[in-house]
């Protein structure tokens, strides 16, 4: 090792030290999705990040999506996926596939990856310990971006749900032990039926209930961009409202930022929307001065 290389490595480790000290013992909820879930190198990179977080004293909790994997299996079964406002219309047969893919294939792959890299992960759905209670999501046609209808009509999305309550006992117990919870966003209704819930929403609600230090959302973009495509590195609740009003935020970024603002209002200290296409994005955002995405706070520091 040359002296220059040694100094560079030492500088990186020293830069990480105050962040490790600050976040030790804190809960960090990470929503895992996008390209990071389908690229082999990025999947292993993410798993190592989570294991390292746990080893240095943080309490990571992983919530994952799995839309592309669900779509692929549905296509193999000859079913066409239909979406309204980015939400998959989910009939009973589709819900069976969702539960199998999210609660089985995807969840267990993430658990296995974390365990391979030295962690102790446990896979859960909201049905385990009855910890995510849900209800059917009601969508008004007038609020839909995909339907041009001035008359109020209820759109039936099938078994698509929203969170009605969260009992954090199981997740909190695991997170404060040696285990790393890995959660599939499936809730259970009062009638015992399963509901498919947006993973960002589940991650945000879990972060709220646990009063997490941070909520980290992995995306397929560098973060929140201005109208010229430049990364906005630091935003407040007021900034987000202005970006929505002036049309800077559109399409899929609006529900993601709404999830972020709800988490901040619910007591989460900060939210990070980061580029999941960057290897070790989670560690870079947590333990370096620059980070790799957009930091959202309730108010300026």
């Amino acid at each position: 090792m040359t002296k220059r290389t040694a100094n560079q490595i030492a500088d990186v480790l020293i830069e990480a030290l105050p962040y490790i000290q600050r976040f030790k013992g804190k809960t960090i909820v990470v929503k895992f999705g996008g390209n990071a879930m389908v690229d082999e190198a990025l999947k292993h990179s993410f798993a190592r990040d989570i294991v390292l977080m746990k080893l240095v004293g943080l309490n990571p909790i992983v919530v994952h999506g799995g839309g592309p994997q669900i779509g692929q299996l549905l296509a193999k079964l000859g079913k066409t996926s239909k979406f309204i406002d980015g939400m998959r219309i989910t009939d009973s047969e589709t819900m069976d596939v969702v539960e199998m893919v999210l609660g089985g294939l995807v969840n267990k792959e993430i658990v296995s990856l974390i365990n391979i890299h030295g962690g102790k992960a446990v896979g859960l759905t909201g049905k385990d310990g009855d910890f995510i209670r849900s209800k059917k999501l009601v969508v008004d046609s007038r609020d839909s971006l995909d339907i041009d209808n001035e008359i109020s009509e209820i759109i039936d999305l099938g078994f698509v749900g929203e969170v009605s309550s969260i009992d954090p006992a199981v997740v909190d117990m695991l997170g404060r032990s040696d285990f790393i919870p890995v959660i599939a966003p499936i809730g259970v209704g009062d009638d015992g039926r399963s509901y498919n819930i947006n993973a960002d929403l589940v991650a945000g609600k879990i972060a709220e209930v646990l009063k997490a230090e941070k909520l980290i959302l992995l995306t397929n973009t560098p973060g929140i961009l201005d109208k010229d495509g430049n990364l906005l590195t630091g935003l407040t609740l007021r900034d987000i409202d202005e970006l929505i009003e002036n049309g800077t935020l559109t399409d899929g970024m609006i529900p993601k930022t709404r999830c972020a603002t709800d988490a901040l209002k619910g007591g989460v200290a900060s939210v990070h929307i980061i580029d999941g296409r960057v290897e070790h994005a989670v560690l870079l955002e947590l333990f370096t001065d620059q980070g790799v995405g957009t930091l959202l706070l309730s108010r300026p520091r």
Side-chain angles (χ1 to χ4, degrees):
M1 183 183 297
T2 65
K3 183 177 180 179
R4 180 179 179 182
T5 301
N7 287 338
Q8 289 174 335
I9 294 173
D11 287 343
V12 170
L13 294 174
I14 292 301
E15 183 177 335
L17 178 59
Y19 295 104
I20 294 172
Q21 292 172 323
R22 185 189 309 171
F23 302 139
K24 185 176 181 180
K26 303 292 187 179
T27 296
I28 312 292
V29 178
V30 185
K31 187 268 181 169
F32 183 43
N35 281 16
M37 286 192 67
V38 295
D39 181 281
E40 286 299 320
L42 292 174
K43 285 193 289 188
H44 284 275
S45 164
F46 175 81
R48 287 192 290 268
D49 287 2
I50 297 299
V51 172
L52 181 57
M53 288 168 63
K54 190 69 174 181
L55 288 176
V56 298
L58 284 66
N59 297 323
I61 294 174
V62 178
V63 179
H64 65 84
Q69 294 90 334
I70 293 169
Q72 289 169 10
L73 184 52
L74 286 172
K76 289 181 180 178
L77 296 173
K79 287 185 69 70
T80 301
S81 296
K82 297 181 180 179
F83 296 86
I84 293 178
D85 294 343
M87 295 175 287
R88 188 189 308 274
I89 296 176
T90 306
D91 60 17
S92 179
E93 186 179 34
T94 300
M95 188 62 223
D96 289 341
V97 173
V98 168
E99 204 158 3
M100 179 171 62
V101 173
L102 291 183
L105 298 174
V106 174
N107 187 271
K108 299 316 173 190
E109 180 187 24
I110 298 168
V111 166
S112 179
L113 283 169
I114 291 173
N115 292 343
I116 285 171
H117 291 289
K120 294 172 66 177
V122 175
L124 303 168
T125 74
K127 300 175 77 171
D128 293 302
D130 205 24
F131 88 94
I132 300 178
R133 303 292 299 182
S134 60
K135 59 184 178 181
K136 186 180 179 69
L137 180 65
V138 176
V139 178
D140 192 313
S141 60
R142 291 178 300 181
D143 299 325
S144 172
L145 298 175
D146 293 341
I147 297 177
D148 184 13
N149 189 353
E150 297 181 357
I151 300 174
S152 177
E153 294 181 3
I154 299 302
I155 302 170
D156 187 1
L157 298 175
F159 294 97
V160 175
E162 59 182 325
V163 176
S164 55
S165 67
I166 287 180
D167 180 353
V170 173
V171 174
D172 194 38
M173 176 189 67
L174 290 170
R176 294 187 181 280
S177 67
D178 291 335
F179 296 99
I180 300 168
V182 178
I183 301 165
I186 298 170
V188 59
D190 291 338
D191 56 2
R193 290 180 177 274
S194 299
Y195 286 91
N196 181 21
I197 311 175
N198 177 274
D200 288 335
L201 177 60
V202 170
K205 293 300 182 183
I206 289 175
E208 284 182 47
V209 171
L210 293 176
K211 293 295 185 280
E213 179 70 17
K214 293 180 181 293
L215 167 63
I216 299 176
L217 305 173
L218 273 68
T219 70
N220 285 339
T221 69
I224 297 178
L225 308 178
D226 65 17
K227 289 186 175 181
D228 296 322
N230 300 311
L231 178 65
L232 299 171
T233 56
L235 298 172
T236 64
L237 291 175
R238 180 178 295 179
D239 296 329
I240 290 296
D241 289 337
E242 291 177 357
L243 290 171
I244 292 175
E245 288 175 7
N246 66 29
T248 300
L249 293 180
T250 58
D251 301 328
M253 191 55 75
I254 292 179
K256 198 172 291 291
T257 51
R258 287 302 189 199
C259 163
T261 55
D262 286 347
L264 291 171
K265 292 174 182 176
V268 178
S270 63
V271 179
H272 305 250
I273 298 178
I274 68 172
D275 194 343
R277 300 168 301 178
V278 176
E279 285 198 41
H280 301 295
V282 175
L283 291 186
L284 291 170
E285 184 66 18
L286 281 174
F287 298 140
T288 66
D289 296 333
Q290 296 298 318
V292 290
T294 300
L295 168 65
L296 295 90
L297 300 168
S298 296
R299 59 185 63 87
R301 284 177 175 171

